[in-house]
Amino acid sequence: MNYSKERLLQFTKSVFLSCGMPEADANLAADVLLSADMRGIDSHGVARLSGYIRLQEAGRANMNAKHKVIHETPSTATVDADQGLGLVVAPKAMDIAIEKAKQVGTGWVAIQNSNHFGIAAYHAMKALPHDMIGISMTNASPLVAPTYSKERMLGTNPICMAFPSGSQQPFIVDMATSNAANGKLEIAQRKNKEIPLGWVQTKNGLDSVNANELKDGGSLLPLGGHKGYGLGAAVDILSAVLSGANYGPWVPPFVAFLNPLENLPGNGIGHFLGAMRIDAFRPAEDFKKHMDQWIIRFKQSQRVDENQEVLIPGEPEFRLQKERELEGIPLNPQVEKDLQELAQKFGLNL
Amino acid sequence: MNYSKERLLQFTKSVFLSCGMPEADANLAADVLLSADMRGIDSHGVARLSGYIRLQEAGRANMNAKHKVIHETPSTATVDADQGLGLVVAPKAMDIAIEKAKQVGTGWVAIQNSNHFGIAAYHAMKALPHDMIGISMTNASPLVAPTYSKERMLGTNPICMAFPSGSQQPFIVDMATSNAANGKLEIAQRKNKEIPLGWVQTKNGLDSVNANELKDGGSLLPLGGHKGYGLGAAVDILSAVLSGANYGPWVPPFVAFLNPLENLPGNGIGHFLGAMRIDAFRPAEDFKKHMDQWIIRFKQSQRVDENQEVLIPGEPEFRLQKERELEGIPLNPQVEKDLQELAQKFGLNL
C-alpha cells in the first residue's frame, strides 16, 4: 500500500513529538526522513524511525538536544550536537555553513557528538537555493574492511556534493564509499538472491556472493578497492578526527542492541558539511549556464545500448520524487509493521 | 640505470630554462615533476617532460606565464593561469589558499586557462607544514566513459587529500577517479599482458581485457561504476565549470599531436585547490594525536594474509621515496631516450 508524503510526515513528526522533541526539531527531523523516502532511498527514510527511538531508549540519543558552536573562525565552525539526532543538527549546521559562505565566500562545519544524519543529499541540497555548492559527509558504524584487512574498520561513509544548474535539474552525487550499501544487501536477503562479487567478503577475507555474509562476521568492501578505502577513510577523518567525534572501529553502532566500545576516543559520531558561494568564484549565472551545457552534453553522449539513456547523477532520484509526489510512497510490509508498532506504542494513528 | 634526484632535477630545470621559463618557475616545475618520480608515480614525472615541451611548440603552453587573480573573497580566489603549466601555477595558487586559510580558516582556489599540473599530491601536501589539510584536484583529457555511455567524456580526474599527523607519516590519499590510470595500461602494453576486467571497454562499450583498447577507440571505466562517474564528474565541475576552464569532452588533450576541439566553452584545463587550517576546527595538537591513533589502529587491523600488512594511504609512496633517496630513480629505457633527445635538442648533458 502507498502512503502520501503528507501522511507519513505528520506521523513521523508525531512520533518525534511523543519522544519529547521540540516542535521545530520534530518538523525538521521528519522532513529529512521523508526526503529519503521521496527520493527512493528507502533504507534511510521512515524505515529507520524506530531505530532512532530505540537509540533514545538506550540512553544514546537526546531528543531535546541543544547544539553548541564550540569553536569558530570566519569560514569554519565546530559544533557539539549534544547527543542529538544528526537529522536535526545537520540542517542547522548547514545553515551556519551557508551564513559563513555569505560572509566570506565559503563555510565549513565539523560536527561531533551526533547520531545518524539521514541522507547526505538533504543537507548538501540546502545550499542550492542560495546559489551555493553544498557538500555533506558523515562517518558511520564500522562495516567496511580496509584493503588487505578482514576487520570492519570504516562505515559506508557517504559523501554528497550538490551543484546548482540553470534550466536543468541540479547535479547531485550522493554515494557511499563502499561498493554496496547495507540496504542493497537487505534487498538481496529478502529476495534470497546472490549478490555480485566485490560487495562483501567472508570473516576470513575471502570473496563471497552470500547476501548474509555480514551477519556471519564478514565485511563490506570499499568502492573499487584501495581507492574507496582511501576515500572512506578521508570522510572518517574529516567527519570525526577533525570534529572530535569517534572514528574508525570506535564509531558507536546505529543499532541500539549493540553497545559502543569502551574508552572511546571522541564523542558520538561525526559529520562534515560545506557551502561554497558560486559567485565567490565566478558570476552564478555563468556557472549555471555552463552547468546546463555540461548536463545537456553528457545526456547526449553516445549510448552503449540505444534503449538505456545516460543518466546525470541525481536524475533517478528526481524522477522517483516526481513519481512519488503523484502516487505516494510504497512501504514494504516490514516497515509498515514497524510503523504500526510505533503508532500503538505512542497512541497515534498511522 | 638509476639517476639521482639532484641530477634529474638540474636537468629538468635546465630544459625549462632553455624554453624561456623564468628561473624561479623552472625550479618549481622541476621540483613538482621530480616529486612524482621520487614517490614512484613514474607516469607523472620526467616521463612527461617532453610532452610539456611539445605543448609549448604547438603554441598551447606559455612558459613565461604570469598568473592573475581574477576574482576573490576572503576565503576564495579564481586564478587565470595565462596558459602556463599547471606545474607552476598550482603550487602558487596553493600558496594563495594557504594564505587565505591563515586569515579566515580556509582557502579555496579555482584555476582556469592552465595545463597539466603533475601529481595532485604535491599541491595538497604543501598544506601539511602549516598544520593544514590540503586538497587538490584537476580535470584532464577525456578518456573515461560515463556509465551507460561508450564515449570518452571525462579525464581520469584525480583528487588528493592530505592530512597532517603527529609521530606518524601524514595520511595522503591521491587517486584517479577511474578504475585504472593510463599509466597502468602502458605498463601492461609494454609487458604484452592482459588487464583485469573493469579497467576498459571497447569502442562499442563491451568488456575487454585488452591493454591496447584505448588506442582502438575504447574508453576507461569509472571507479567502481556509476559512483566513480559521479565523483569524476564532480571533480570536472569544481575544476572547470567553477573556474571558467573547459570541461568534459572539451578538455584540451595533453598530447600535442591532437588538436583541441573548436568552439571551446572555457579556457585551458582547470584545477581546484583547498587548504583548511586544523585549528580553525580544534587544536592542531589534538588532531595530530588522534591522527596518530587512527593510523596505528588501522595498521593493527586484522590481516587477510599474515604476510600482507594493511597499508595507510600514502604509505607505499613514502617508502618508495626513502628507497629512491638512497638508490636513485630508475628510468625506463624509453624515458631515458626521451630525455637524451631533449638534452641533444637544447645542448644539455643528461
Side-chain angles (χ1 to χ4, degrees), chain A residues 90-120:
Chain A
K92 293 180 181 180
M94 196 66 196
D95 287 337
I96 297 173
I98 288 167
E99 201 44 53
K100 287 181 179 283
K102 283 183 189 165
Q103 300 298 320
V104 296
T106 66
W108 304 88
V109 181
I111 304 164
Q112 59 149 268
N113 207 8
S114 187
N115 281 291
H116 197 279
F117 78 4
I119 53 166

Side-chain angles (χ1 to χ4, degrees), chain A residues 71 75-76 78 104 106 149-151 178 227 229 236 241 247 279-282 290 294 297 302 311, chain B residues 71 75-76 78 104 106 148-151 178 227 229 236 241 247 279-282 290 294 297 302 311:
Chain A
H71 193 90
S75 76
T76 68
T78 306
V104 296
T106 66
S149 172
K150 58 189 181 190
E151 189 174 356
S178 52
K227 292 178 188 178
Y229 156 43
D236 191 39
V241 183
Y247 42 83
D279 70 4
F281 295 96
R282 73 186 302 194
H290 285 287
W294 194 102
R297 180 64 185 84
Q302 295 163 39
L311 297 167
Chain B
H71 193 90
S75 77
T76 68
T78 306
V104 296
T106 66
Y148 302 133
S149 172
K150 59 189 181 188
E151 189 174 356
S178 52
K227 292 178 186 176
Y229 157 44
D236 192 39
V241 182
Y247 43 82
D279 69 5
F281 296 95
R282 73 186 300 192
H290 285 287
W294 194 103
R297 179 66 184 83
Q302 294 164 37
L311 297 166

Side-chain angles (χ1 to χ4, degrees), chain B residues 262-324:
Chain B
E262 293 185 357
N263 299 318
L264 294 178
N267 300 317
I269 79 167
H271 322 303
F272 186 73
L273 308 173
M276 299 198 282
R277 221 171 70 209
I278 297 291
D279 69 5
F281 296 95
R282 73 186 300 192
E285 288 316 306
D286 290 357
F287 177 89
K288 292 198 276 189
K289 187 185 77 186
H290 285 287
M291 275 307 297
D292 285 347
Q293 185 170 348
W294 194 103
I295 289 167
I296 290 165
R297 179 66 184 83
F298 274 69
K299 287 298 295 177
Q300 290 169 344
S301 67
Q302 294 164 37
R303 301 177 182 186
V304 172
D305 168 354
E306 267 317 306
N307 299 314
Q308 173 59 62
E309 68 185 315
V310 176
L311 297 166
I312 303 302
E315 194 173 2
E317 291 80 7
F318 281 116
R319 287 199 190 154
L320 218 43
Q321 178 152 359
K322 269 196 192 146
E323 196 180 300
R324 291 186 172 187

Side-chain angles (χ1 to χ4, degrees), chain A residues 282-299:
Chain A
R282 73 186 302 194
E285 288 315 306
D286 291 357
F287 177 89
K288 291 197 277 189
K289 188 184 77 187
H290 285 287
M291 274 308 297
D292 285 348
Q293 185 170 346
W294 194 102
I295 290 166
I296 291 165
R297 180 64 185 84
F298 273 70
K299 287 297 294 178

Side-chain angles (χ1 to χ4, degrees), chain B residues 4 9 16 29-30 69 89 102 116 181 226 240 244 287 289 293 329:
Chain B
S4 75
L9 195 64
F16 282 129
V69 173
V89 75
K102 284 182 190 166
H116 197 280
H226 70 279
F287 177 89
K289 187 185 77 186
Q293 185 170 348
I329 298 164

